[in-house]
Amino acid sequence: MDIDGFQEEIGGITTYQVLIILFGGLITFGSGFTSQAAVFLSAVPDFRCAVPPIDDPNVYPSLDESDINNYTIPYDTATAEYDSCNRYNYNLTSCRGDGDLSCVTSDEDPGTIPCDQGYYYDPTYYDETTITQWDLVCDRQYLDSLANTLFFLGFFIGSAFVGPLSDWFGRKLAMIVLCIGLVSCSVGCAFAPTFEIYTLVRVLCGAFGITCFISYFTYASEICPINWRVEAGAYAQMTTAIAHTVYPWIAYALRDWHEIQLTIGLIPAAFFVVYFFIPESPRWLLRNGKPEEAKKIIARYAQSKNKKLTDEKWNSIVEFEKKKEALKEEEEKTANKIGVWDLFRRPLMRLMSFNVMISWFTVSMVFYGLALNGGNLAGDPYLNTTLNAVVEIAAYVFVYFSTKLGRRPVFSASYILAGISCIASMLFDLYANGDPGLFTASTVMAIAGKFFASIGFALAYSVTGEIFPTNARTTGLSLGSMAARVGGMISPFVLQLQTTIPWFTQTIFGTLSIISGLLTLLYPETSNAEYMTTLDEAEDFYWENIKALKWFGMKRPEKSSSKLDMESKTNPSFNGTLDELTATKL
């Protein structure tokens, strides 16, 4: 009997385990703010060139913002907007006040110059952001995009070291160490004296934020019975979505990026209290030679169900787990090591691997791009960002109940509908011409795009895990994850382009999403399929279950057993098809 067998015997998941999972989720709730922090930390308010003393209410009290723009800022009739980065080349030092506007009125064309007196930022929504503190606009706008890109690089770095840390020192210790790192960096970020230090600390925040999520995801999966792991994973994702929903109202209440960052940096510290009441993963304890500690935890499971863990049952569990671990180690010694390049040796697995990379790259770029762009949509940025987060929760609920529809159709539809929503949002915005109804429609479609992108991102994990065989599943997920990190890093620069080419960003998001959605039709349906175990088994499964192959009249080439057997004798690690064998000989 193993741990899962004992769980079934005592009646399934216990109240004790549920409480552990619920309260342990404070770490993912706290770290959930990190990925969305830039929405308000680096929010860009409406701005123009500062034109002192014209915009000084003490010198020219009769001028409102409209008057200041009319007198000093060039107007672009094509975009129906005032130029944010240039002003008329008037000699502002000659302005004396008292209603005298001769210094900014002339029959001759004064020409334009870049903002030489700094910038004026509209205080309607924000008191101070990183943009206003360090003037990251106009020719310095790329620095903000670079900071956000490097933040996603932190995701990439963190994902690399969380596994070994958690495996070496335990799930519980890893979570508290990573949580301490997240709180320390997040609080320190609030007091960053320079933009360079802010950027560096944000990278660390990204690294610790993603590792907190991954470490808890692993912990929750091991704490609960095997038939509850889907729910545990969904809960981890839901806590981050709830954090994304709460975040806009923290930002609304505080308005200053220092205070916002300090607040969201302290929230994960709530896990410090919970830490002392949650146990280590008993599965990790057994694998690392600590059976007595594991026994106490399993006994609490039983006690929560008014059952008792007898010594006989415990010895049975320990023996079974030892045999399972020994068998696993033996399989790892004898099995061929699967590398990334092995996923590209067989023709259909090569197709699946490229498809996975495209799917993850696209959905990550679109998901994070739409999230970061929430504050730039027409309307109240706090309301828009809240709706952006609420649809994320709705998407996770939809994914949980959509299994009967099949993985592939829902996965494909989510990409295509996200793409259509993005393009519709662009078209409404492009042809609005000041029409508030079309601006509202543009915002609604952008939020709809976030909803469908959230569905796609949630399904990417399960679909990728199911189309690769057991001995290549982790490698396949890692391949997709790496592509997703690249997509996330590119998204800030794609967003930046919308300031100069308004239609470009949503067009890119929409086009790539639709293309990726069509490519997902090349995936096999895996909803009711058993997990595959080898690369050859997976290749056979693809030929039998990818319907698109039949649409194009494609049939699998026949194998030549003699040539393959000969290759197997001379090269024991070879596990390919005749086509690959011929290709290697050539």
Side-chain angles (χ1 to χ4, degrees):
M1 176 186 294
D2 62 357
I3 294 176
D4 290 316
F6 180 71
Q7 287 259 213
E8 290 182 12
E9 185 177 293
I10 64 174
I13 193 168
T14 68
T15 303
Y16 177 62
Q17 289 169 290
V18 171
L19 291 175
I20 292 171
I21 294 169
L22 286 177
F23 286 107
L26 283 174
I27 191 173
T28 50
F29 174 75
S31 64
F33 294 94
T34 307
S35 64
Q36 304 289 302
V39 174
F40 293 109
L41 297 186
S42 59
V44 185
D46 291 336
F47 67 95
R48 59 164 170 79
C49 293
V51 284
I54 293 295
D55 53 3
D56 187 340
N58 296 317
V59 180
Y60 286 90
S62 62
L63 297 182
D64 59 20
E65 186 63 21
S66 177
D67 295 327
I68 294 169
N69 280 322
N70 286 334
Y71 284 120
T72 64
I73 306 299
Y75 183 77
D76 188 338
T77 55
T79 60
E81 293 179 349
Y82 287 97
D83 191 331
S84 298
C85 299
N86 296 281
R87 70 173 181 87
Y88 287 127
N89 188 18
Y90 290 121
N91 180 12
L92 299 177
T93 59
S94 63
C95 297
R96 303 302 178 188
D98 298 325
D100 179 13
L101 295 171
S102 61
C103 60
V104 290
T105 54
S106 173
D107 293 334
E108 298 180 2
D109 183 3
T112 62
I113 59 172
C115 301
D116 61 338
Q117 301 293 321
Y119 300 90
Y120 166 81
Y121 298 96
D122 183 356
T124 301
Y125 294 115
Y126 316 106
D127 291 343
E128 185 171 58
T129 71
T130 59
I131 302 298
T132 64
Q133 179 170 343
W134 291 302
D135 286 334
L136 305 179
V137 293
C138 299
D139 59 343
R140 287 171 56 83
Q141 182 183 9
Y142 76 94
L143 291 174
D144 177 56
S145 299
L146 178 62
N148 288 326
T149 292
L150 292 176
F151 170 79
F152 286 109
L153 177 62
F155 272 30
F156 191 93
I157 295 170
S159 300
F161 71 77
V162 64
L165 178 66
S166 184
D167 289 339
W168 294 339
F169 301 108
R171 315 308 191 203
K172 183 178 175 180
L173 181 59
M175 283 194 292
I176 192 63
V177 169
L178 294 170
C179 191
I180 291 172
L182 176 61
V183 172
S184 301
C185 292
S186 297
V187 171
C189 185
F191 300 97
T194 65
F195 174 71
E196 290 75 15
I197 293 177
Y198 163 80
T199 302
L200 175 61
V201 179
R202 279 277 292 161
V203 173
L204 296 176
C205 288
F208 282 114
I210 191 66
T211 50
C212 282
F213 177 86
I214 295 173
S215 61
Y216 171 76
F217 193 95
T218 304
Y219 175 80
S221 298
E222 292 186 351
I223 281 290
C224 67
I226 191 170
N227 58 334
W228 277 84
R229 287 177 187 170
V230 173
E231 285 79 1
Y235 173 70
Q237 292 179 314
M238 192 64 71
T239 55
T240 61
I242 293 171
H244 298 166
T245 306
V246 173
Y247 177 52
W249 300 104
I250 294 176
Y252 176 79
L254 300 176
R255 305 285 178 129
D256 184 286
W257 82 266
H258 301 87
E259 297 176 7
I260 295 170
Q261 178 61 40
L262 179 61
T263 302
I264 65 175
L266 289 172
I267 290 176
F271 180 74
F272 296 167
V273 178
V274 174
Y275 171 79
F276 295 101
F277 298 97
I278 64 173
E280 177 57 87
S281 162
R283 299 175 195 273
W284 183 87
L285 290 170
L286 280 174
R287 285 197 299 269
N288 287 271
K290 299 180 180 181
E292 290 306 314
E293 294 180 41
K295 181 180 180 180
K296 294 177 182 178
I297 299 168
I298 301 298
R300 289 177 196 163
Y301 291 179
Q303 187 178 4
S304 182
K305 287 281 191 178
N306 295 319
K307 305 286 185 179
K308 186 176 180 180
L309 175 64
T310 63
D311 290 339
E312 181 181 356
K313 288 181 180 177
W314 176 245
N315 292 333
S316 174
I317 291 173
V318 172
E319 287 301 314
F320 188 93
E321 292 293 336
K322 284 182 179 179
K323 291 179 181 179
K324 186 166 66 173
E325 192 64 24
L327 180 62
K328 180 180 177 182
E329 291 178 0
E330 188 64 28
E331 288 177 349
E332 289 178 350
K333 289 179 182 178
T334 57
N336 294 331
K337 298 297 182 181
I338 302 299
V340 173
W341 292 114
D342 290 304
L343 303 184
F344 295 89
R345 292 177 58 195
R346 293 158 178 76
L348 292 189
M349 182 163 285
R350 186 186 309 123
L351 174 65
M352 294 299 102
S353 300
F354 278 123
N355 213 344
V356 162
M357 292 172 67
I358 294 170
S359 297
W360 282 71
F361 171 86
T362 300
V363 78
S364 177
M365 183 173 68
V366 174
F367 177 85
Y368 286 113
L370 292 176
L372 293 175
N373 198 45
N376 297 324
L377 299 175
D380 188 300
Y382 299 103
L383 178 59
N384 291 340
T385 306
T386 301
L387 293 175
N388 243 351
V390 169
V391 298
E392 194 176 331
I393 296 176
Y396 294 145
V397 173
F398 176 82
V399 168
Y400 184 76
F401 291 103
S402 68
T403 53
K404 292 182 179 179
L405 301 176
R407 295 260 196 271
R408 190 176 61 114
V410 176
F411 193 46
S412 180
S414 68
Y415 277 76
I416 293 173
L417 292 174
I420 292 173
S421 299
C422 288
I423 291 176
S425 175
M426 178 272 297
L427 292 174
F428 283 133
D429 184 67
L430 190 64
Y431 293 103
N433 291 324
D435 184 341
L438 290 180
F439 279 131
T440 300
S442 175
T443 299
V444 169
M445 294 311 299
I447 293 173
K450 173 72 182 305
F451 171 74
F452 292 118
S454 299
I455 293 174
F457 217 156
L459 282 174
Y461 286 92
S462 56
V463 170
T464 302
E466 290 171 347
I467 65 172
F468 286 110
T470 301
N471 61 350
R473 187 164 296 121
T474 301
T475 304
L477 284 166
S478 298
L479 184 71
S481 182
M482 286 189 291
R485 302 304 170 223
V486 175
M489 287 188 283
I490 290 176
S491 63
F493 285 103
V494 177
L495 284 177
Q496 180 182 328
L497 289 171
Q498 70 184 347
T499 59
T500 53
I501 312 174
W503 54 265
F504 183 80
T505 297
Q506 293 284 36
T507 302
I508 287 294
F509 288 168
T511 303
L512 286 179
S513 293
I514 291 173
I515 292 173
S516 297
L518 294 174
L519 288 175
T520 58
L521 295 174
L522 296 175
Y523 285 130
E525 178 55 66
T526 57
S527 291
N528 299 312
E530 294 182 1
Y531 275 159
M532 298 161 283
T533 56
T534 67
L535 298 178
D536 273 345
E537 185 181 341
E539 188 76 5
D540 290 335
F541 179 81
Y542 302 151
W543 280 106
E544 294 170 3
N545 293 277
I546 297 178
K547 294 181 179 179
L549 298 178
K550 299 180 178 65
W551 299 344
F552 296 105
M554 297 176 63
K555 295 182 180 179
R556 180 171 188 175
E558 295 182 2
K559 294 181 180 180
S560 172
S561 57
S562 58
K563 288 189 176 182
L564 287 175
D565 289 344
M566 184 181 299
E567 179 65 12
S568 298
K569 293 176 181 178
T570 58
N571 182 8
S573 65
F574 182 81
N575 195 25
T577 62
L578 176 59
D579 287 348
E580 291 169 314
L581 174 61
T582 305
T584 56
K585 299 304 181 185
L586 294 176

